[in-house]
Structures are given as structure tokens and as C-alpha cells.
Amino acid sequence: YLELDAGLDARTPSPALRKASRAQGRALVRAGRAMWPVPAIGREPHHPVALGAVAAAAGLAPRDAAVAAAYGTLTGPATAAVRLLGLDPYRVHALLAGLAAECDRIAADAAARTDDPVDALPAAGAPLLDIGAERHASWEVRLFAS
């Protein structure tokens, strides 16, 4: 777990996003430990590392954890968009349903890489998201931490 966690640090240039990921990871491990014997994975693991550890403790296969991660990546922002922008929730959820096959494909690809070394894992970047996260972290009033 520590090698994956360090790999996420290296792939997350924004300190604000690293902090948010670790806070979400810590909360997920705390919730997971209320239900399953989650192994020690550090004091504040990144959210993806925590998700993998909790999923394993719950007896899920790597593909199941990858599906949860893929759908969580989409549903969190979609829910926020409905709340903040007043989008039609039915249309947003129809859009999410339309992405199901792509989520499943991405999850299958991720699950097939469980034995890959950290440095061989995909590491696409989104510089504008990193810049936006840093700007957002400086606001006096923020709506979200991530």
C-alpha cells in the first residue's frame, strides 16, 4: 500500500488535491473499519489506496473495487452539478447510465493491472484541474474540499 500511496503523491501535483484525497481516504478507512478488518495502510492513505484496502477487507475482487472507483469518479461530480447548477437530475442520471459500458471497460482495464509496478500504471494529468484546485483552496468560502 505504501508504494501505491507514494505513487499517487507523485502523480498529484496539487497540494490541495493531495490533502483532499488523504482526508477522504482517512474517512473511508474509518468507516470501513467499523464493518471489516481493514489492514493498517498508513495514517492518512490517499482515497484510491483506502478504497482498495476497504474493498479487499470486504471480500471484493479487484474488478469490483475498480467499478466502485470508476462510478464514484463520475457520480460525485454529477451530484454536485445537479445541486450547484440546478441541472435536471433525470437527464444527469441518464447521462451516467449512458457511460456505464465505458466505466465497466475502464474498471476491467484497471483490474487487469493489479500486479503492475506503480511506475508502469497510467498517469494522465489534468493541469487545469490542478490549477483550479489550488485557486479554489485559497477562497474564503469553499463548497467542496475536492
Side-chain angles (χ1 to χ4, degrees):
Y1 292 114
L2 296 177
E3 187 178 356
L4 286 171
D5 198 71
L8 280 164
D9 256 357
R11 290 175 165 97
T12 310
S14 165
L17 291 180
R18 284 195 305 270
K19 181 179 178 183
S21 176
R22 290 191 178 282
Q24 291 170 343
R26 182 179 62 246
L28 181 57
V29 167
R30 184 172 178 225
R33 284 195 174 130
M35 296 173 272
W36 302 288
V38 178
I41 55 172
R43 196 171 76 80
E44 288 194 332
H46 277 287
H47 183 263
V49 173
L51 178 60
V54 170
L60 299 178
R63 188 175 188 296
D64 298 325
V67 167
Y71 281 95
T73 298
L74 293 177
T75 58
T79 300
V82 168
R83 291 180 185 167
L84 293 174
L85 302 175
L87 300 180
D88 179 348
Y90 296 108
R91 291 190 69 174
V92 170
H93 282 74
L95 175 67
L96 292 174
L99 293 170
E102 185 66 6
C103 279
D104 290 343
R105 184 196 64 74
I106 290 169
D109 180 54
R113 297 172 178 265
T114 57
D115 293 324
D116 288 1
V118 171
D119 290 342
L121 296 173
L128 290 178
L129 290 178
D130 294 318
I131 292 167
E134 289 304 306
R135 290 188 66 212
H136 184 253
S138 70
W139 294 357
E140 186 175 326
V141 176
R142 294 184 310 233
L143 300 173
F144 300 100
S146 62

